Amino acid sequence: MTVGEALRAAADHLSATSDSARLDAELLMAHALDCSRSDMLLRHQRDPAPDGFEALVDRRARHEPIAYITGEQEFYGRCFAVRPGVLIPRGDSETLVRAALESCSSPRRVLDLGTGSGALLLTLLSERPAAAGVGIDASSRAIETATENARALDLANDWRFERRSWLDDGWQDDLGRFDLVVCNPPYVEADALLDADVHDYEPGEALFAGPEGLDDYRVLIPKLPELLAENGVAIFEIGHQQAESVAQIASEAGFSSELRRDLAGRPRALILRPKP
């Protein structure tokens, strides 16, 4: 079977479980061939299908995310390693990056709360080479993956990742102050119905945050006065129905909020600044 024939068969097989069956098949084939998707489409259609491709397709047919199968995910034009147990970076979260670059153009120190793969922090450090960064996460797997990504990017910035949980007393005590704090916290309601790709594979502790999806905002936002430098800015990702609730939590903690929408026009991030 040629690559082209295998792609058609795989797309048919995946159509029962994926809304992007053809794209999934192409990404898996490019991974199996160890080449880019465009190179695969242009140069390898008549080549023999590689060994192991069917096994990759079978994994995807069981709803395993493409990023976990290939071990990587693109974010803001860069490739990041992703491992099972670490939340997969999503294009929606690029809204936080754009908001950060606009609202804090020259940060000296950046803090990423719940860093996961490190995609947010490492993207910001790549865009702002003079900045230093700290990422924290309760997951040792996340810290390992973020460190791997930082080394792969070969950043000139000062950076470090630390295993810390904001559920522990005093977690913020010795971090210092930051010009920019970014956070994509868990914000999914406990009883929310998620696609099998997410529910069955991605880490629940990085997704779910109580009955309203607000538990982690209530923990983190009141700690910001201890973390922000003078004129510092914090940016939080939010669920598309949470803008008003999170803005209220921020207001009660002494912060004004400014909404940013993602490319689909949905509420996606809140920029928080101390009230005058």
Side-chain angles (χ1 to χ4, degrees):
M1 185 179 291
T2 66
V3 165
E5 292 167 340
L7 281 174
R8 288 190 290 274
D12 287 342
H13 181 41
L14 293 175
S15 62
T17 55
S18 172
D19 294 332
S20 55
R22 176 69 189 196
L23 175 61
D24 292 354
E26 290 176 359
L27 292 171
L28 293 175
M29 181 63 79
H31 176 70
L33 291 170
D34 193 24
C35 67
S36 69
R37 177 170 163 245
S38 60
D39 191 48
M40 180 271 297
L41 291 171
L42 289 172
R43 295 184 172 87
H44 297 284
Q45 291 293 292
R46 297 179 183 273
D47 293 352
D51 294 337
F53 175 65
E54 288 187 7
L56 301 181
V57 173
D58 287 341
R59 290 171 65 182
R60 180 62 186 135
R62 294 192 293 271
H63 296 283
E64 185 173 353
I66 292 286
Y68 288 157
I69 299 173
T70 64
E72 61 185 31
Q73 176 71 20
E74 183 177 330
F75 183 83
Y76 213 80
R78 298 177 178 87
C79 187
F80 290 88
V82 179
R83 303 287 179 261
V86 178
L87 194 70
I88 299 169
R90 287 161 168 79
D92 290 341
S93 297
E94 293 182 0
T95 305
L96 272 73
V97 175
R98 291 189 290 270
L101 296 175
E102 292 170 5
S103 59
C104 187
S105 59
S106 302
R108 291 165 294 179
R109 298 190 76 216
V110 181
L111 173 64
D112 183 9
L113 298 169
T115 196
S117 66
L120 279 178
L121 179 63
L122 298 175
T123 297
L124 290 168
L125 295 184
S126 297
E127 297 291 325
R128 297 292 183 264
V134 179
I136 70 166
D137 203 292
S139 164
S140 57
R141 178 69 63 86
I143 296 302
E144 292 168 2
T145 304
T147 300
E148 176 185 348
N149 281 320
R151 290 172 176 161
L153 288 170
D154 195 24
L155 297 173
N157 316 63
D158 289 331
W159 56 267
R160 73 178 192 271
F161 293 102
E162 299 183 8
R163 187 181 179 189
R164 299 189 186 216
S165 171
W166 55 66
L167 300 180
D168 295 336
D169 290 339
W171 64 270
Q172 79 287 354
D173 286 349
D174 58 349
L175 285 171
R177 294 186 177 271
F178 299 84
D179 305 289
L180 176 62
V181 175
V182 294
C183 182
N184 178 14
Y187 58 75
V188 178
E189 300 90 340
D191 61 353
L193 298 177
L194 302 177
D195 290 342
D197 307 47
V198 179
H199 186 276
D200 294 349
Y201 288 94
E202 297 201 60
E205 62 272 17
L207 295 168
F208 298 105
E212 303 167 290
L214 300 174
D215 285 4
D216 290 88
Y217 298 112
R218 293 187 174 115
V219 171
L220 289 168
I221 291 175
K223 296 295 184 183
L224 290 177
E226 301 175 50
L227 294 169
L228 286 174
E230 186 176 2
N231 299 318
V233 176
I235 304 173
F236 282 76
E237 182 162 332
I238 58 171
H240 69 277
Q241 295 181 322
Q242 294 176 326
E244 184 175 343
S245 297
V246 179
Q248 181 62 35
I249 294 169
S251 180
E252 292 171 358
F255 292 88
S256 63
S257 58
E258 180 182 348
L259 179 65
R260 286 287 189 274
R261 297 179 181 272
D262 61 25
L263 295 179
R266 296 167 297 197
R268 183 57 59 187
L270 282 179
I271 302 171
L272 306 184
R273 294 183 175 89
K275 293 179 181 178

